[in-house]
Amino acid sequence: MSNASTARFSRRGLLAAGGALGLGAVLAACGDGDAKDTGSDKGATPAKSGPWSFKDDRGTTVKLDKVPTNIVAFTGVAAALFDYGIEVKGVFGPTRTTNGKADVQAGDMDVSKLTIFGNKFDSFNVEQYAAFQPEVLISTTFDDAGTLWYVPEASKDKIAKLAPSVAISVYDLQMPEPLRRMAKLAESLGADLKATKVVEAKKKFEAAAERLRKAAKARPEIRVLAGSAAQDVFYVSGSNYSIDLEYFKALGVNLVEPPEEAKKATGGWFETLSWENVDKYPADVIIMDDRASTIQPADITEATWKKLPAVKAGQVISRSPEPILSYDKCTPLLDNLAEAIEKAEKVG
């Protein structure tokens, strides 16, 4: 494996294991004038009785004789499509927690009805996948190479031979663009984007974005730190690539930004701190990684954490570094942060 590939794989492993940002990135049509327009939609043929095609964010066009129904997707993608009424039968990625309950990335899906090909990073049962006879595999991609998220490096070639794949990019973009693209994918699979539920969900998202913008403008002094907890270290995310953080920043949120040199080891994604240095950056609000692979705030026992002003003030909320890409699921992320900023005491 080349050095570049090794570096990319290592970073993917860190992110999946709960490194501080989740994924994502920067850009695109916010619909609010703060971001660039990406131009016209990539092609999506609406669901119908005839052939189906979809041009994904790698520039790859997948063509099938009919709209696929035997779909396999990364769990978070399946959860997003579920919100549009599209049923995904097979998934890979965090789906069940150790106690058997639905993982946060499973959204509203009934996980007991899903075929799970791998529940953790670098785990994918290729034989089971082949027997499932998938028509298409759908995932996100978090790099400019179009690497399919949670598809293991070691078995990606075998997996690719069994069904075509579709990738939705969450790299170097702001949240509204992946949301738009996921909606177009759902539409091609049969979703009605003019349905009242879908239209209202988008309106609520736009209202939540405006609320966050106003809150950030009214409280520019409130510093927000995005963190993620592991057994031995604490990660502080930069906004460089995360679709949520870049969008928050575009809306005016005063995000803590580790210097580029401090993030160099992770390709610019996040800085790794020892628990002794968890107070390195002053913060008034802390938004913490909600993935099951990370330690949740209530379970952090480190004394240095408990002494943080934001923690003592009760100004810690959850963050979804891998947001489910439906307007319904992303709206609370904006509303919760807006409320936290609106109510925050200046403590950092």
Side-chain angles (χ1 to χ4, degrees), residues 40-55:
S40 61
D41 268 320
K42 293 168 184 148
T45 302
K48 53 187 178 182
S49 58
W52 175 83
S53 70
F54 188 83
K55 186 175 181 181

Side-chain angles (χ1 to χ4, degrees), residues 289-311:
D289 191 334
D290 67 357
R291 292 173 296 174
S293 56
T294 68
I295 301 175
Q296 296 306 298
D299 299 319
I300 299 175
T301 59
E302 299 290 340
T304 48
W305 164 261
K306 294 181 178 180
K307 292 179 181 178
L308 292 177
V311 175

Side-chain angles (χ1 to χ4, degrees), residues 51-54 61-66 164:
W52 175 83
S53 70
F54 188 83
T61 299
V62 175
K63 296 182 179 181
L64 299 174
D65 292 337
K66 62 182 181 66

Side-chain angles (χ1 to χ4, degrees), residues 15-323:
L15 297 182
L21 40 243
L23 324 128
V26 173
L27 162 85
C30 292
D32 55 26
D34 283 347
K36 301 172 185 175
D37 193 335
T38 54
S40 61
D41 268 320
K42 293 168 184 148
T45 302
K48 53 187 178 182
S49 58
W52 175 83
S53 70
F54 188 83
K55 186 175 181 181
D56 76 359
D57 293 340
R58 300 170 298 182
T60 299
T61 299
V62 175
K63 296 182 179 181
L64 299 174
D65 292 337
K66 62 182 181 66
V67 177
T69 55
N70 215 35
I71 301 169
V72 173
F74 173 69
T75 303
V77 170
L81 292 175
F82 181 87
D83 285 349
Y84 286 105
I86 304 302
E87 179 184 2
V88 173
K89 300 176 181 179
V91 298
F92 57 97
T95 309
R96 288 196 186 102
T97 60
T98 53
N99 61 12
K101 294 183 179 180
D103 188 276
V104 65
Q105 295 190 62
D108 295 332
M109 293 189 298
D110 183 348
V111 298
S112 68
K113 296 180 179 180
L114 298 172
T115 299
I116 304 171
F117 301 104
N119 197 56
K120 59 184 180 179
F121 189 73
D122 226 18
S123 173
F124 197 113
N125 190 320
V126 180
E127 290 73 20
Q128 183 187 21
Y129 178 66
F132 190 78
Q133 297 184 319
E135 294 175 280
V136 66
L137 179 148
I138 308 172
S139 190
T140 47
T141 182
F142 293 99
D143 59 31
D144 55 8
T147 306
L148 293 171
W149 187 235
Y150 263 78
V151 172
E153 186 80 10
S155 55
K156 66 178 184 180
D157 292 339
K158 292 181 180 179
I159 292 169
K161 292 177 181 178
L162 296 170
S165 63
V166 167
I168 297 297
S169 179
V170 285
Y171 179 75
D172 205 19
L173 301 165
Q174 290 173 14
M175 187 183 284
E177 175 62 7
L179 279 171
R180 184 181 66 83
R181 291 291 291 144
M182 187 64 72
K184 295 301 292 185
L185 173 60
E187 182 181 38
S188 79
L189 293 169
D192 180 4
L193 298 191
K194 294 181 181 179
T196 301
K197 178 182 177 181
V198 176
V199 172
E200 289 301 314
K202 187 175 182 181
K203 286 181 179 178
K204 288 179 180 178
F205 174 82
E206 291 168 347
E210 185 58 27
R211 179 186 179 184
L212 181 54
R213 182 200 298 281
K214 290 179 177 178
K217 185 176 181 179
R219 304 294 307 279
E221 76 280 7
I222 299 300
R223 289 169 56 86
V224 177
L225 181 146
S228 184
Q231 189 66 43
D232 300 317
V233 293
F234 184 82
Y235 305 100
V236 178
S237 293
S239 66
N240 303 52
Y241 304 117
S242 299
I243 61 172
D244 61 332
L245 299 185
E246 273 293 343
Y247 191 43
F248 297 163
K249 185 177 181 179
L251 292 172
V253 175
N254 183 5
L255 288 170
V256 170
E257 292 281 3
E260 292 303 314
E261 186 61 29
K263 298 180 292 181
K264 188 174 181 180
T266 62
W269 288 85
F270 53 88
E271 179 179 2
T272 306
L273 300 176
S274 66
W275 281 105
E276 289 75 16
N277 295 318
V278 74
D279 60 353
K280 180 177 179 179
Y281 298 107
D284 305 292
V285 173
I286 301 175
I287 54 177
M288 288 292 289
D289 191 334
D290 67 357
R291 292 173 296 174
S293 56
T294 68
I295 301 175
Q296 296 306 298
D299 299 319
I300 299 175
T301 59
E302 299 290 340
T304 48
W305 164 261
K306 294 181 178 180
K307 292 179 181 178
L308 292 177
V311 175
K312 293 171 70 175
Q315 295 175 177
V316 179
I317 65 171
S318 65
R319 172 199 170 210
S320 298
E322 296 181 54

